[in-house]
Amino acid sequence: MAGIRSYNRRVLVTGGAGFLGSHLCERLLARGDEVVCVDNYFTGSRTNIAHLLNKPNFEAIRHDVTFPLYVEVDEIYNLACPASPVHYQHDPVQTTKTSVHGAINMLGLAKRLNARILQASTSEVYGDPAVHPQPEEYWGNVNPIGPRSCYDEGKRCAETLFFDYHRQHRLAIKVMRIFNTYGPRMHPNDGRVVSNFIMQALRGEPITVYGDGAQTRSFCYVDDLIDGMLRLMDSDAAITGPINIGNPGEFTMLELAEQVIALTGSRSAIEHRPLPQDDPRQRRPDIAKAKALLGWEPAVPLRDGLARTIDDFRRRFFT
Ligand code: NAD
Ligand code: UDP
Ligand code: UDP
């Protein structure tokens, strides 16, 4: 593909011991890059990267990105930030600090090194969207003072900082808006819908559907997501994003519950629980830009991705 540069770079991955970060580290190592993984292990774990620790081109550093970091790298993927509502609402002030101070420090690092930097932003910048599906031009519908705001507004401010460093300091930036992603190595207690439903189904406990279960989400399998992330980082310098990466297949939470029950062969019943405050009613990415600019689209259907994820949860927690 035009614009793709040569490999064997030294790459910094913040949040590298998390769900997405650990998959990214694996993929970078597999193609010959040297990886520096930085993580404070708040929601990630060393188990996620245990299989990488003995590789000569992998290095893990315990560090909180809200503090300055001095390392020498060619490229930065900034993923550090708790991602599930349960985790990011546990210490909301730290969540905003991680997004905002973390972005400032990583942008300062990128500026000093003249390194390319990619921000793991989120579909949450669209809030409870009034436009459906969501194109990148949509400015969003976000509550600035609610329980989800520490995450949503923190990520919005990080996007602002990325574009200001780009305009003010000519920094090469890539802003990726990630939609709900799932797959092996998800945290079993992060409260996210896919991990909750799988754990509940495998334990034979009730499947907790919040509200009437008619709210929708679009779920992207992790391998597809990382593929999009690598393509964006390697794309022509003129492509800054923001760019949506997600799977446009849209499902209600009731449909998801039914699929998980069918694939696990569970006897769990569905139980309704109150809908959390500010829970978006619907979400689906418009991925026309990713298709046109990166030649990317997801390949793994929900059913297949769920089956692989269920296998991983069985292996990790039920053998
Ligand atoms: P995760 O919680 O598994 O990973 C985040 C990692 O960041 C963890 O390893 C955590 O310990 C680390 N971290 C948190 N605060 C830190 C700090 N101050 N300093 C250093 N490390 C810190 O979550 P994930 O699903 O892998 O998400 C990765 C990134 O992708 C996040 O930025 C998230 O906002 C974004 N994202 C994820 C999704 C998704 O569906 N998984 C959707 C949209 C955006
Ligand atoms: N920074 C860092 N590593 C570096 C360079 C900078 O962590 O290699 C941090 C630094 O602590 C600063 C932030 O990045 O607070 C922003 O740096 P920048 O140069 O943009 O701003 P300034 O230092 O002028 O405040
Ligand atoms: N949800 C649910 N049961 C659960 C966990 C979540 O019905 O046990 C719902 C939640 O209310 C939301 C959707 O599933 O409508 C996705 O929730 P998640 O926390 O995974 O992601 P986000 O809301 O950040 O997209």
Side-chain angles (χ1 to χ4, degrees), residues 15 17-21 38-44 63-66 79-83 94 98 120-122 151 155 178-181 192:
F19 162 50
L20 298 182
V38 161
D39 205 294
N40 68 350
Y41 304 112
F42 171 46
T43 53
H63 176 80
D64 183 325
V65 294
T66 62
L79 274 63
C81 185
Q94 172 67 13
T98 293
S121 190
T122 169
Y151 184 76
K155 290 284 190 179
I178 302 172
F179 283 64
N180 297 57
T181 303
R192 283 191 260 197

Side-chain angles (χ1 to χ4, degrees), residues 168-203:
Q168 203 172 323
H169 300 301
R170 302 267 130 240
L171 206 62
I173 60 155
K174 305 281 176 182
V175 174
M176 170 178 184
R177 291 190 179 149
I178 302 172
F179 283 64
N180 297 57
T181 303
Y182 69 100
R185 241 179 261 146
M186 282 187 96
H187 196 295
N189 303 319
D190 65 3
R192 283 191 260 197
V193 68
V194 172
S195 41
N196 266 13
F197 285 4
I198 292 178
M199 289 300 284
Q200 290 162 347
L202 292 177
R203 286 187 175 133

Side-chain angles (χ1 to χ4, degrees), residues 160-297:
T160 307
L161 284 161
F162 268 68
F163 276 87
D164 282 334
Y165 269 78
H166 175 62
R167 283 186 288 256
Q168 203 172 323
H169 300 301
R170 302 267 130 240
L171 206 62
I173 60 155
K174 305 281 176 182
V175 174
M176 170 178 184
R177 291 190 179 149
I178 302 172
F179 283 64
N180 297 57
T181 303
Y182 69 100
R185 241 179 261 146
M186 282 187 96
H187 196 295
N189 303 319
D190 65 3
R192 283 191 260 197
V193 68
V194 172
S195 41
N196 266 13
F197 285 4
I198 292 178
M199 289 300 284
Q200 290 162 347
L202 292 177
R203 286 187 175 133
E205 291 170 356
I207 308 280
T208 55
V209 170
Y210 301 161
D212 60 8
Q215 72 272 33
T216 66
R217 292 292 186 276
S218 303
F219 298 101
C220 187
Y221 188 65
V222 62
D223 290 359
D224 283 336
L225 193 284
I226 300 298
D227 192 46
M229 191 181 279
L230 294 170
R231 279 182 193 234
L232 176 58
M233 181 61 114
D234 290 343
S235 63
D236 198 89
I239 300 172
T240 57
I243 196 150
N244 291 337
I245 300 284
N247 191 323
E250 185 181 357
F251 296 86
T252 68
M253 295 311 101
L254 270 180
E255 286 168 339
L256 178 71
E258 281 154 11
Q259 286 220 29
V260 170
I261 290 172
L263 287 166
T264 50
S266 172
R267 293 199 184 153
S268 293
I270 288 173
E271 236 176 58
H272 290 271
R273 298 274 168 83
L275 191 67
Q277 190 189 326
D278 295 341
D279 199 275
R281 287 299 300 164
Q282 54 183 9
R283 191 180 294 143
R284 170 153 63 101
D286 177 334
I287 60 164
K289 275 213 173 69
K291 276 187 188 164
L293 298 176
L294 309 177
W296 177 87
E297 63 182 314

